[in-house]
Short mmCIF file of all heavy atoms in Angstrom, two decimals:
data_model
loop_
_atom_site.label_atom_id
_atom_site.label_comp_id
_atom_site.label_asym_id
_atom_site.label_seq_id
_atom_site.Cartn_x
_atom_site.Cartn_y
_atom_site.Cartn_z
N ILE S 18 32.77 14.99 -26.40
CA ILE S 18 33.88 15.45 -25.57
C ILE S 18 34.29 14.32 -24.63
O ILE S 18 33.47 13.49 -24.25
CB ILE S 18 33.50 16.71 -24.76
CG1 ILE S 18 32.34 16.41 -23.82
CG2 ILE S 18 33.16 17.87 -25.65
CD1 ILE S 18 32.06 17.53 -22.85
N SER S 19 35.52 14.29 -24.25
CA SER S 19 36.02 13.29 -23.31
C SER S 19 36.04 13.91 -21.93
O SER S 19 36.49 15.04 -21.77
CB SER S 19 37.41 12.84 -23.70
OG SER S 19 37.93 11.93 -22.74
N CYS S 20 35.52 13.17 -20.94
CA CYS S 20 35.48 13.70 -19.56
C CYS S 20 35.83 12.60 -18.61
O CYS S 20 35.12 11.61 -18.49
CB CYS S 20 34.07 14.24 -19.26
SG CYS S 20 33.89 14.86 -17.58
N GLN S 21 36.99 12.69 -17.99
CA GLN S 21 37.39 11.69 -17.00
C GLN S 21 36.69 11.93 -15.67
O GLN S 21 36.31 13.06 -15.35
CB GLN S 21 38.92 11.75 -16.80
CG GLN S 21 39.69 11.55 -18.09
CD GLN S 21 39.40 10.22 -18.75
OE1 GLN S 21 39.23 9.22 -18.06
NE2 GLN S 21 39.34 10.19 -20.07
N GLY S 22 36.52 10.90 -14.90
CA GLY S 22 35.92 11.05 -13.58
C GLY S 22 34.40 11.28 -13.62
O GLY S 22 33.84 11.83 -12.67
N VAL S 23 33.76 10.87 -14.72
CA VAL S 23 32.30 11.06 -14.81
C VAL S 23 31.58 10.12 -13.85
O VAL S 23 30.61 10.52 -13.20
CB VAL S 23 31.83 10.80 -16.25
CG1 VAL S 23 30.30 10.70 -16.32
CG2 VAL S 23 32.32 11.90 -17.16
N TYR S 24 32.10 8.91 -13.67
CA TYR S 24 31.46 7.96 -12.74
C TYR S 24 31.66 8.45 -11.31
O TYR S 24 32.76 8.81 -10.91
CB TYR S 24 32.05 6.57 -12.93
CG TYR S 24 31.63 5.93 -14.24
CD1 TYR S 24 32.52 5.94 -15.33
CD2 TYR S 24 30.39 5.37 -14.37
CE1 TYR S 24 32.12 5.38 -16.55
CE2 TYR S 24 30.01 4.79 -15.60
CZ TYR S 24 30.90 4.80 -16.66
OH TYR S 24 30.51 4.25 -17.85
N ALA S 25 30.56 8.45 -10.55
CA ALA S 25 30.62 8.98 -9.17
C ALA S 25 29.61 8.24 -8.33
O ALA S 25 28.56 7.82 -8.80
CB ALA S 25 30.31 10.48 -9.19
N PRO S 26 29.93 8.05 -7.03
CA PRO S 26 29.00 7.41 -6.10
C PRO S 26 27.80 8.33 -5.86
O PRO S 26 27.85 9.52 -6.14
CB PRO S 26 29.83 7.22 -4.83
CG PRO S 26 30.90 8.24 -4.92
CD PRO S 26 31.19 8.41 -6.38
N GLY S 66 25.02 11.26 -9.13
CA GLY S 66 25.86 10.06 -9.24
C GLY S 66 25.68 9.46 -10.61
O GLY S 66 24.64 9.56 -11.26
N HIS S 67 26.72 8.80 -11.07
CA HIS S 67 26.72 8.17 -12.40
C HIS S 67 27.45 6.82 -12.30
O HIS S 67 28.56 6.79 -11.76
CB HIS S 67 27.39 9.05 -13.46
CG HIS S 67 27.19 8.56 -14.84
ND1 HIS S 67 25.98 8.63 -15.48
CD2 HIS S 67 28.04 7.96 -15.70
CE1 HIS S 67 26.10 8.11 -16.70
NE2 HIS S 67 27.34 7.71 -16.86
N PRO S 68 26.80 5.71 -12.72
CA PRO S 68 25.50 5.59 -13.36
C PRO S 68 24.35 6.10 -12.48
O PRO S 68 24.53 6.19 -11.25
CB PRO S 68 25.37 4.10 -13.64
CG PRO S 68 26.76 3.55 -13.58
CD PRO S 68 27.47 4.42 -12.57
N ASN S 114 24.38 2.94 -6.69
CA ASN S 114 24.67 2.68 -8.11
C ASN S 114 25.87 1.78 -8.27
O ASN S 114 26.47 1.68 -9.34
CB ASN S 114 24.90 4.00 -8.86
CG ASN S 114 26.08 4.78 -8.33
OD1 ASN S 114 26.73 4.38 -7.35
ND2 ASN S 114 26.42 5.90 -9.00
N LEU S 116 28.78 2.10 -6.84
CA LEU S 116 30.04 2.78 -6.56
C LEU S 116 30.02 3.31 -5.13
O LEU S 116 29.11 4.07 -4.77
CB LEU S 116 30.24 3.94 -7.55
CG LEU S 116 30.29 3.59 -9.04
CD1 LEU S 116 30.44 4.86 -9.88
CD2 LEU S 116 31.44 2.63 -9.32
N TYR S 636 23.43 10.76 -18.44
CA TYR S 636 24.08 11.54 -17.40
C TYR S 636 23.11 12.60 -16.92
O TYR S 636 22.70 13.49 -17.68
CB TYR S 636 25.37 12.17 -17.96
CG TYR S 636 26.22 12.84 -16.92
CD1 TYR S 636 26.83 12.12 -15.90
CD2 TYR S 636 26.40 14.22 -16.95
CE1 TYR S 636 27.64 12.74 -14.97
CE2 TYR S 636 27.24 14.85 -16.01
CZ TYR S 636 27.82 14.12 -15.01
OH TYR S 636 28.61 14.72 -14.08
N ASP S 638 23.56 14.59 -14.19
CA ASP S 638 24.15 15.64 -13.36
C ASP S 638 24.75 16.78 -14.18
O ASP S 638 25.64 17.51 -13.73
CB ASP S 638 25.23 15.04 -12.44
CG ASP S 638 24.67 13.97 -11.52
OD1 ASP S 638 23.45 14.05 -11.28
OD2 ASP S 638 25.42 13.11 -11.07
N THR S 658 27.05 8.33 -21.15
CA THR S 658 28.23 7.50 -21.32
C THR S 658 27.76 6.14 -21.83
O THR S 658 26.57 5.86 -21.87
CB THR S 658 28.97 7.32 -19.99
OG1 THR S 658 28.09 6.66 -19.05
CG2 THR S 658 29.42 8.66 -19.42
N LYS S 695 35.55 5.15 -25.20
CA LYS S 695 36.15 4.63 -23.98
C LYS S 695 35.16 4.70 -22.81
O LYS S 695 34.25 5.53 -22.80
CB LYS S 695 37.43 5.38 -23.63
CG LYS S 695 38.51 5.26 -24.70
CD LYS S 695 39.74 6.07 -24.30
CE LYS S 695 40.84 5.94 -25.38
NZ LYS S 695 42.04 6.73 -25.02
N LYS S 696 35.40 3.87 -21.82
CA LYS S 696 34.55 3.90 -20.65
C LYS S 696 34.74 5.21 -19.91
O LYS S 696 35.84 5.68 -19.69
CB LYS S 696 34.92 2.75 -19.72
CG LYS S 696 34.01 2.63 -18.50
CD LYS S 696 34.30 1.39 -17.69
CE LYS S 696 33.33 1.30 -16.50
NZ LYS S 696 33.53 0.09 -15.71
N GLY S 697 33.62 5.84 -19.56
CA GLY S 697 33.67 7.09 -18.85
C GLY S 697 33.70 8.31 -19.77
O GLY S 697 33.66 9.46 -19.30
N GLU S 698 33.76 8.09 -21.08
CA GLU S 698 33.77 9.20 -22.01
C GLU S 698 32.34 9.75 -22.11
O GLU S 698 31.37 9.01 -22.31
CB GLU S 698 34.25 8.76 -23.39
CG GLU S 698 34.38 9.90 -24.37
CD GLU S 698 35.04 9.47 -25.66
OE1 GLU S 698 35.54 8.32 -25.72
OE2 GLU S 698 35.04 10.26 -26.62
N LEU S 699 32.21 11.06 -21.99
CA LEU S 699 30.91 11.70 -21.94
C LEU S 699 30.57 12.26 -23.31
O LEU S 699 31.33 13.02 -23.91
CB LEU S 699 30.92 12.84 -20.91
CG LEU S 699 29.59 13.41 -20.49
CD1 LEU S 699 28.72 12.38 -19.81
CD2 LEU S 699 29.79 14.60 -19.56
#
Side-chain angles (χ1 to χ4, degrees):
I18 62 171
S19 176
C20 178
Q21 303 301 321
V23 169
Y24 290 99
H67 190 71
N114 64 355
L116 299 177
Y636 187 66
D638 299 337
T658 62
K695 298 179 180 179
K696 184 174 182 179
E698 185 173 350
L699 194 63

